Amino acid sequence: MARGEKRQNLARLGEIAHVAARHGFGYVFSRGEGEGDELGDRGPGRNRGRRLREVLDELGPTFVKFGQLLSTRPDIVPPDILAELRGLQDDARPESFETVRGVVEGQLGLTLEQLFVEFDEEPIAAASIGQVHRAVLPGGQEVVVKVQRPDAERQLAADIQLLHQVAPVARERVQKLQFIDLDGMVDEFERTVRRELDYGVEAANAEVFRRNFAGDDTVSVPRIHWRQTTSRVLTMERVEGTPLSQLDLSTWSPDDRRTLGHRLTETWMQMVFVHGFFHADPHPANVLVRGPDQLSLVDFGMTEQLTPRDREAAVRLLMDILNQDAERLPRRLRALGVRYPRQQEEELGDRLGVIIQRYSASALGEIDAREVLGEIFQTIYQLDITLPARWVMLDKTLATLSGVALEIYPDLNVFEVARPYAMRLATQRLRPDHMAQRLGVDIGRYAEALLEYPFQVSELLDEFKDGEIEITVRPEGFAEAVDKIQASANRLVLALVASALILGSAIIAVFARSADLVGLSLLAVPGTLLALAIVAWLCVGIFRSGRW
């Protein structure tokens, strides 16, 4: 790293520490040994959520995006902080119109007047990476133009590097964060942000959703205008609807709210169980409401894909949860790609069994899906079990979706909406054509593995021959046994030394010619005293060990 960059990083770290201290979080960067716990459930600070939101907002786009990531994690973020972090979704400061003009013209190679008949100077939304403006194309089509901030990529890269430095410090000093893999969250955040910086990826995602929902009148997805789209400028059709975050649901009837909640949930169940490609950021600002049973979707930067095998494994897991079959859950999780030591399987099964048993007396409609999923994934995190990225994303999506759906209609149950989709997919697995197709795929994989086997064995033997493979043997308890043997050997040596001192002192006391005490030479006294001290020390050590 260049000296100038190091100086900038140090200055930025100083700024972060200064802003944190000004809002009451200075203990994270203090040199004292005490741990702060203001983010804990019983933290002493007042308005901690508001103050944390102000810190992130003041520190700029990277920290706003990180706050958005945290706002989708109700399983690890306290409710009061979660509510405030959700305010980061559409609360970023907009860039000036001249800055926006410069980005658009630089990316598209024409003046703004040549590209658009109309272009609103005031943005309709401003996010941490870019902002959105209404515009009209020369053909009269109404569009929205998403423009990336000019220094977003550079600032994000520098701040993400600093987040990697801050994460271990925060985890060490804030007790509530001890069990959270903050380094892993920063890595996930970095991957997500780099994908969101390329608007071409978002445009391609929108096209996939548009194809998946083609012919469905209840869900509208904007069409992309590719001639006016680059990696930093995204132009798409303007869709109708009011953002869910701006909707006054208190004026709606219970039936309309129930219909809207079901439509929202069913839309995401279709994505997960039918399409295998889902929108991973279902917060209220990304859902436009055209009516109780009609939605429009926007902002396709965060998405995830599930293979047919992933969906089948997820369905089996969901059915086991609904049937309260806790014994199968560890194996179902392993089928999802969740990796954990075999010796941990019994503990995992017991913990999941406790969770399922807690809800065994409740009717399906009384079970809060967000609460159940939160407890299951919380257990997984506490046991330090590795989750594949796609399932972490699905966990966040379902938790956010469930929270939004409950705000629309408190009596809505996500499990009840998901059950028909799960049953349908489970039934399709037993159809002859699906079984034949799956059998063909499996046979192909087995044949491929069989053909590759000789080459893999040959490569392994070559590595053995070249000395590229090291075999490490770590017997359980071996280190403790070595320590015990070493301690016993040390005591034996000291006992021999004490014996030698006593024997030598006895010989000196009898035969040495010097001043004497009751007929014994005084030269023997130091050796005798040292020998007695060693014997006393050995006796104390043996007594404390409890081994006689």
Side-chain angles (χ1 to χ4, degrees):
M1 182 184 296
R3 182 174 299 177
E5 291 181 357
K6 287 183 179 180
R7 191 179 298 113
Q8 288 179 353
N9 283 348
L10 288 173
R12 181 61 167 161
L13 277 173
E15 179 189 359
I16 293 171
H18 178 70
V19 172
R22 192 167 67 249
H23 290 277
F25 299 107
Y27 59 84
V28 175
F29 298 94
S30 67
R31 294 180 180 273
E33 295 296 328
E35 284 186 339
D37 195 20
E38 200 165 345
L39 295 180
D41 293 334
R42 296 177 295 277
R46 299 181 58 188
N47 300 320
R48 58 182 181 173
R50 176 183 58 77
R51 291 187 288 111
L52 180 59
R53 176 176 59 80
E54 290 173 352
V55 168
L56 297 174
D57 191 36
E58 190 172 340
L59 289 176
T62 310
F63 292 85
V64 169
K65 290 298 293 182
F66 194 61
Q68 289 177 347
L69 173 65
L70 291 175
S71 74
T72 64
R73 299 301 299 268
D75 52 329
I76 62 175
V77 179
D80 59 320
I81 295 180
L82 196 70
E84 287 290 341
L85 292 182
R86 285 174 177 166
L88 291 167
Q89 303 289 3
D90 288 304
D91 202 25
R93 300 184 184 91
E95 295 282 352
S96 68
F97 178 66
E98 290 306 315
T99 300
V100 171
R101 173 190 286 273
V103 173
V104 173
E105 293 180 349
Q107 287 289 302
L108 299 179
L110 296 172
T111 65
L112 203 62
E113 290 73 20
Q114 291 173 318
L115 291 165
F116 304 99
V117 176
E118 298 178 17
F119 195 99
D120 288 357
E121 294 190 9
E122 292 296 323
I124 58 176
S128 54
I129 290 180
Q131 58 195 57
V132 180
H133 294 257
R134 289 192 183 96
V136 178
L137 293 174
Q141 302 97 327
E142 291 189 1
V143 295
V144 292
V145 184
K146 190 173 182 179
V147 184
Q148 190 173 122
R149 297 175 185 269
D151 62 342
E153 186 172 3
R154 179 191 58 78
Q155 185 66 60
L156 285 166
D159 282 348
I160 286 173
Q161 185 178 6
L162 294 180
L163 274 175
H164 280 291
Q165 299 177 32
V166 172
V169 176
R171 188 173 185 270
E172 178 184 351
R173 293 185 175 273
V174 182
Q175 185 177 357
K176 185 67 177 178
L177 303 179
Q178 291 297 315
F179 79 95
I180 301 173
D181 182 10
L182 279 181
D183 293 321
M185 289 193 68
V186 175
D187 289 337
E188 176 195 345
F189 171 64
E190 182 175 6
R191 289 191 298 269
T192 301
V193 165
R194 293 196 182 282
R195 187 167 55 179
E196 287 189 48
L197 281 169
D198 187 353
Y199 286 172
V201 173
E202 181 176 348
N205 291 338
E207 290 288 294
V208 174
F209 284 113
R210 185 174 173 81
R211 286 196 302 271
N212 288 343
F213 285 103
D216 187 343
D217 295 334
T218 63
V219 181
S220 176
V221 178
R223 183 169 64 89
I224 302 298
H225 292 270
W226 287 100
R227 289 186 177 181
Q228 291 82 20
T229 294
T230 69
S231 62
R232 295 180 61 193
V233 175
L234 174 60
T235 304
M236 65 178 73
E237 171 190 11
R238 182 185 174 190
V239 290
E240 298 178 357
T242 303
L244 186 56
S245 57
Q246 300 176 12
L247 209 59
D248 184 8
L249 292 172
S250 62
T251 62
W252 285 43
S253 69
D255 287 342
D256 284 345
R257 293 181 67 162
R258 181 180 183 278
T259 301
L260 177 59
H262 271 270
R263 169 49 48 209
L264 177 70
T265 307
E266 286 187 4
T267 298
W268 259 263
M269 292 304 107
Q270 273 187 280
M271 295 179 193
V272 173
F273 292 111
V274 180
H275 305 152
F277 186 74
F278 62 91
H279 192 306
D281 195 12
H283 70 76
N286 290 339
V287 179
L288 309 185
V289 179
R290 295 180 288 143
D293 199 36
Q294 291 183 314
L295 304 175
S296 298
L297 305 180
V298 296
D299 196 347
F300 308 98
M302 291 178 62
T303 62
E304 193 57 71
Q305 189 161 3
L306 300 176
T307 67
R309 284 183 175 271
D310 287 336
R311 282 177 275 164
E312 289 180 9
V315 165
R316 288 194 289 269
L317 176 64
L318 177 60
M319 296 304 296
D320 286 337
I321 293 175
L322 295 176
N323 296 329
Q324 298 175 354
D325 189 352
E327 292 183 1
R328 293 177 180 265
L329 293 183
R331 293 195 297 275
R332 298 303 189 205
L333 290 171
R334 188 173 285 276
L336 293 178
V338 179
R339 293 292 173 256
Y340 54 87
R342 284 291 183 183
Q343 60 268 24
Q344 222 173 17
E345 183 166 326
E346 184 176 351
E347 181 183 3
L348 176 60
D350 290 342
R351 290 201 185 190
L352 295 178
V354 171
I355 296 172
I356 298 300
Q357 183 66 30
R358 193 178 303 142
Y359 297 96
S360 60
S362 304
L364 182 61
E366 300 173 352
I367 299 176
D368 184 350
R370 179 175 53 176
E371 186 176 342
V372 176
L373 291 173
E375 288 192 41
I376 290 174
F377 281 96
Q378 182 91 341
T379 299
I380 290 173
Y381 296 144
Q382 287 175 346
L383 292 177
D384 197 22
I385 294 174
T386 302
L387 279 174
R390 61 189 183 282
W391 299 117
V392 174
M393 191 73 79
L394 181 60
D395 168 39
K396 292 188 305 183
T397 301
L398 293 179
T400 306
L401 174 68
S402 180
V404 174
L406 287 175
E407 289 180 5
I408 296 173
Y409 188 69
D411 294 332
L412 180 68
N413 187 274
V414 173
F415 281 162
E416 286 185 327
V417 180
R419 181 188 277 263
Y421 289 92
M423 293 293 293
R424 194 178 306 130
L425 188 57
T427 303
Q428 287 178 351
R429 292 178 56 247
L430 302 177
R431 285 170 41 187
D433 57 335
H434 278 259
M435 294 179 66
Q437 182 181 5
R438 192 165 62 249
L439 180 62
V441 172
D442 289 341
I443 291 175
R445 287 179 175 174
Y446 294 146
E448 183 179 356
L450 186 62
L451 291 174
E452 290 181 354
Y453 183 74
F455 299 101
Q456 292 174 349
V457 172
S458 176
E459 290 177 0
L460 182 62
L461 293 175
D462 287 341
E463 290 177 359
F464 267 118
K465 183 178 66 176
D466 297 338
E468 297 177 1
I469 294 181
E470 295 182 0
I471 299 177
T472 303
V473 180
R474 295 178 180 173
E476 189 173 351
F478 181 74
E480 295 180 4
V482 170
D483 291 339
K484 292 177 182 177
I485 292 172
Q486 188 173 4
S488 299
N490 291 339
R491 287 178 180 175
L492 181 60
V493 170
L494 287 174
L496 291 174
V497 171
S499 300
L501 286 172
I502 292 174
L503 181 61
S505 298
I507 294 172
I508 292 173
V510 174
F511 296 105
R513 294 180 179 179
S514 65
D516 59 67
L517 179 65
V518 294
L520 299 176
S521 174
L522 290 177
L523 292 175
V525 173
T528 303
L529 293 177
L530 180 58
L532 291 174
I534 292 174
V535 170
W537 186 77
L538 285 173
C539 290
V540 171
I542 293 172
F543 177 77
R544 286 183 176 178
S545 68
R547 297 183 179 89
W548 304 94

PDB file of all heavy atoms in Angstrom, residues 458-470:
ATOM      1  N   SER A 458      -4.389 -41.461  -9.865  1.00  0.00           N
ATOM      2  CA  SER A 458      -3.064 -41.203 -10.424  1.00  0.00           C
ATOM      3  C   SER A 458      -2.490 -39.888  -9.902  1.00  0.00           C
ATOM      4  O   SER A 458      -1.312 -39.805  -9.535  1.00  0.00           O
ATOM      5  CB  SER A 458      -3.144 -41.173 -11.956  1.00  0.00           C
ATOM      6  OG  SER A 458      -1.903 -40.842 -12.519  1.00  0.00           O
ATOM      7  N   GLU A 459      -3.333 -38.839  -9.842  1.00  0.00           N
ATOM      8  CA  GLU A 459      -2.878 -37.549  -9.323  1.00  0.00           C
ATOM      9  C   GLU A 459      -2.479 -37.667  -7.852  1.00  0.00           C
ATOM     10  O   GLU A 459      -1.481 -37.086  -7.414  1.00  0.00           O
ATOM     11  CB  GLU A 459      -3.988 -36.505  -9.484  1.00  0.00           C
ATOM     12  CG  GLU A 459      -4.238 -36.102 -10.933  1.00  0.00           C
ATOM     13  CD  GLU A 459      -5.393 -35.121 -11.051  1.00  0.00           C
ATOM     14  OE1 GLU A 459      -5.974 -34.764  -9.998  1.00  0.00           O
ATOM     15  OE2 GLU A 459      -5.719 -34.721 -12.183  1.00  0.00           O
ATOM     16  N   LEU A 460      -3.250 -38.440  -7.081  1.00  0.00           N
ATOM     17  CA  LEU A 460      -2.937 -38.619  -5.670  1.00  0.00           C
ATOM     18  C   LEU A 460      -1.597 -39.325  -5.488  1.00  0.00           C
ATOM     19  O   LEU A 460      -0.769 -38.927  -4.655  1.00  0.00           O
ATOM     20  CB  LEU A 460      -4.063 -39.417  -4.998  1.00  0.00           C
ATOM     21  CG  LEU A 460      -3.928 -39.652  -3.487  1.00  0.00           C
ATOM     22  CD1 LEU A 460      -3.934 -38.329  -2.737  1.00  0.00           C
ATOM     23  CD2 LEU A 460      -5.048 -40.559  -2.994  1.00  0.00           C
ATOM     24  N   LEU A 461      -1.338 -40.378  -6.290  1.00  0.00           N
ATOM     25  CA  LEU A 461      -0.067 -41.096  -6.199  1.00  0.00           C
ATOM     26  C   LEU A 461       1.103 -40.205  -6.600  1.00  0.00           C
ATOM     27  O   LEU A 461       2.186 -40.279  -6.006  1.00  0.00           O
ATOM     28  CB  LEU A 461      -0.119 -42.346  -7.083  1.00  0.00           C
ATOM     29  CG  LEU A 461      -1.104 -43.444  -6.623  1.00  0.00           C
ATOM     30  CD1 LEU A 461      -1.144 -44.574  -7.646  1.00  0.00           C
ATOM     31  CD2 LEU A 461      -0.705 -43.980  -5.248  1.00  0.00           C
ATOM     32  N   ASP A 462       0.900 -39.359  -7.629  1.00  0.00           N
ATOM     33  CA  ASP A 462       1.952 -38.427  -8.038  1.00  0.00           C
ATOM     34  C   ASP A 462       2.289 -37.453  -6.907  1.00  0.00           C
ATOM     35  O   ASP A 462       3.465 -37.120  -6.674  1.00  0.00           O
ATOM     36  CB  ASP A 462       1.515 -37.647  -9.286  1.00  0.00           C
ATOM     37  CG  ASP A 462       1.531 -38.525 -10.525  1.00  0.00           C
ATOM     38  OD1 ASP A 462       2.209 -39.582 -10.507  1.00  0.00           O
ATOM     39  OD2 ASP A 462       0.855 -38.168 -11.521  1.00  0.00           O
ATOM     40  N   GLU A 463       1.256 -36.967  -6.206  1.00  0.00           N
ATOM     41  CA  GLU A 463       1.492 -36.037  -5.108  1.00  0.00           C
ATOM     42  C   GLU A 463       2.241 -36.724  -3.970  1.00  0.00           C
ATOM     43  O   GLU A 463       3.106 -36.127  -3.316  1.00  0.00           O
ATOM     44  CB  GLU A 463       0.162 -35.467  -4.615  1.00  0.00           C
ATOM     45  CG  GLU A 463      -0.487 -34.504  -5.623  1.00  0.00           C
ATOM     46  CD  GLU A 463      -1.833 -34.008  -5.136  1.00  0.00           C
ATOM     47  OE1 GLU A 463      -2.252 -34.436  -4.032  1.00  0.00           O
ATOM     48  OE2 GLU A 463      -2.458 -33.204  -5.844  1.00  0.00           O
ATOM     49  N   PHE A 464       1.904 -38.001  -3.691  1.00  0.00           N
ATOM     50  CA  PHE A 464       2.647 -38.763  -2.693  1.00  0.00           C
ATOM     51  C   PHE A 464       4.113 -38.886  -3.097  1.00  0.00           C
ATOM     52  O   PHE A 464       5.028 -38.687  -2.292  1.00  0.00           O
ATOM     53  CB  PHE A 464       2.041 -40.163  -2.536  1.00  0.00           C
ATOM     54  CG  PHE A 464       1.023 -40.257  -1.434  1.00  0.00           C
ATOM     55  CD1 PHE A 464      -0.289 -40.593  -1.715  1.00  0.00           C
ATOM     56  CD2 PHE A 464       1.379 -40.015  -0.109  1.00  0.00           C
ATOM     57  CE1 PHE A 464      -1.235 -40.681  -0.702  1.00  0.00           C
ATOM     58  CE2 PHE A 464       0.453 -40.107   0.902  1.00  0.00           C
ATOM     59  CZ  PHE A 464      -0.862 -40.445   0.610  1.00  0.00           C
ATOM     60  N   LYS A 465       4.340 -39.223  -4.374  1.00  0.00           N
ATOM     61  CA  LYS A 465       5.701 -39.434  -4.872  1.00  0.00           C
ATOM     62  C   LYS A 465       6.522 -38.149  -4.809  1.00  0.00           C
ATOM     63  O   LYS A 465       7.716 -38.179  -4.491  1.00  0.00           O
ATOM     64  CB  LYS A 465       5.635 -39.953  -6.313  1.00  0.00           C
ATOM     65  CG  LYS A 465       7.001 -40.282  -6.921  1.00  0.00           C
ATOM     66  CD  LYS A 465       6.852 -40.828  -8.330  1.00  0.00           C
ATOM     67  CE  LYS A 465       6.299 -39.781  -9.272  1.00  0.00           C
ATOM     68  NZ  LYS A 465       6.233 -40.244 -10.670  1.00  0.00           N
ATOM     69  N   ASP A 466       5.883 -37.004  -5.118  1.00  0.00           N
ATOM     70  CA  ASP A 466       6.600 -35.734  -5.136  1.00  0.00           C
ATOM     71  C   ASP A 466       6.694 -35.104  -3.754  1.00  0.00           C
ATOM     72  O   ASP A 466       7.272 -34.019  -3.594  1.00  0.00           O
ATOM     73  CB  ASP A 466       5.901 -34.752  -6.084  1.00  0.00           C
ATOM     74  CG  ASP A 466       5.925 -35.256  -7.524  1.00  0.00           C
ATOM     75  OD1 ASP A 466       6.794 -36.081  -7.836  1.00  0.00           O
ATOM     76  OD2 ASP A 466       5.052 -34.830  -8.316  1.00  0.00           O
ATOM     77  N   GLY A 467       6.119 -35.763  -2.755  1.00  0.00           N
ATOM     78  CA  GLY A 467       6.187 -35.226  -1.399  1.00  0.00           C
ATOM     79  C   GLY A 467       5.321 -34.016  -1.173  1.00  0.00           C
ATOM     80  O   GLY A 467       5.596 -33.190  -0.293  1.00  0.00           O
ATOM     81  N   GLU A 468       4.229 -33.859  -1.972  1.00  0.00           N
ATOM     82  CA  GLU A 468       3.362 -32.696  -1.844  1.00  0.00           C
ATOM     83  C   GLU A 468       2.257 -32.904  -0.809  1.00  0.00           C
ATOM     84  O   GLU A 468       1.497 -31.984  -0.510  1.00  0.00           O
ATOM     85  CB  GLU A 468       2.730 -32.364  -3.200  1.00  0.00           C
ATOM     86  CG  GLU A 468       3.753 -31.967  -4.258  1.00  0.00           C
ATOM     87  CD  GLU A 468       3.099 -31.706  -5.605  1.00  0.00           C
ATOM     88  OE1 GLU A 468       1.865 -31.810  -5.689  1.00  0.00           O
ATOM     89  OE2 GLU A 468       3.829 -31.400  -6.565  1.00  0.00           O
ATOM     90  N   ILE A 469       2.132 -34.116  -0.289  1.00  0.00           N
ATOM     91  CA  ILE A 469       1.085 -34.414   0.688  1.00  0.00           C
ATOM     92  C   ILE A 469       1.717 -34.632   2.051  1.00  0.00           C
ATOM     93  O   ILE A 469       2.681 -35.382   2.189  1.00  0.00           O
ATOM     94  CB  ILE A 469       0.264 -35.659   0.272  1.00  0.00           C
ATOM     95  CG1 ILE A 469      -0.526 -35.358  -1.002  1.00  0.00           C
ATOM     96  CG2 ILE A 469      -0.665 -36.092   1.400  1.00  0.00           C
ATOM     97  CD1 ILE A 469      -1.366 -36.517  -1.470  1.00  0.00           C
ATOM     98  N   GLU A 470       1.207 -33.948   3.037  1.00  0.00           N
ATOM     99  CA  GLU A 470       1.659 -34.101   4.409  1.00  0.00           C
ATOM    100  C   GLU A 470       0.535 -34.730   5.227  1.00  0.00           C
ATOM    101  O   GLU A 470      -0.622 -34.325   5.118  1.00  0.00           O
ATOM    102  CB  GLU A 470       2.045 -32.746   5.018  1.00  0.00           C
ATOM    103  CG  GLU A 470       3.249 -32.106   4.349  1.00  0.00           C
ATOM    104  CD  GLU A 470       3.623 -30.797   5.018  1.00  0.00           C
ATOM    105  OE1 GLU A 470       2.916 -30.433   5.989  1.00  0.00           O
ATOM    106  OE2 GLU A 470       4.578 -30.156   4.577  1.00  0.00           O
TER     107      GLU A 470
END
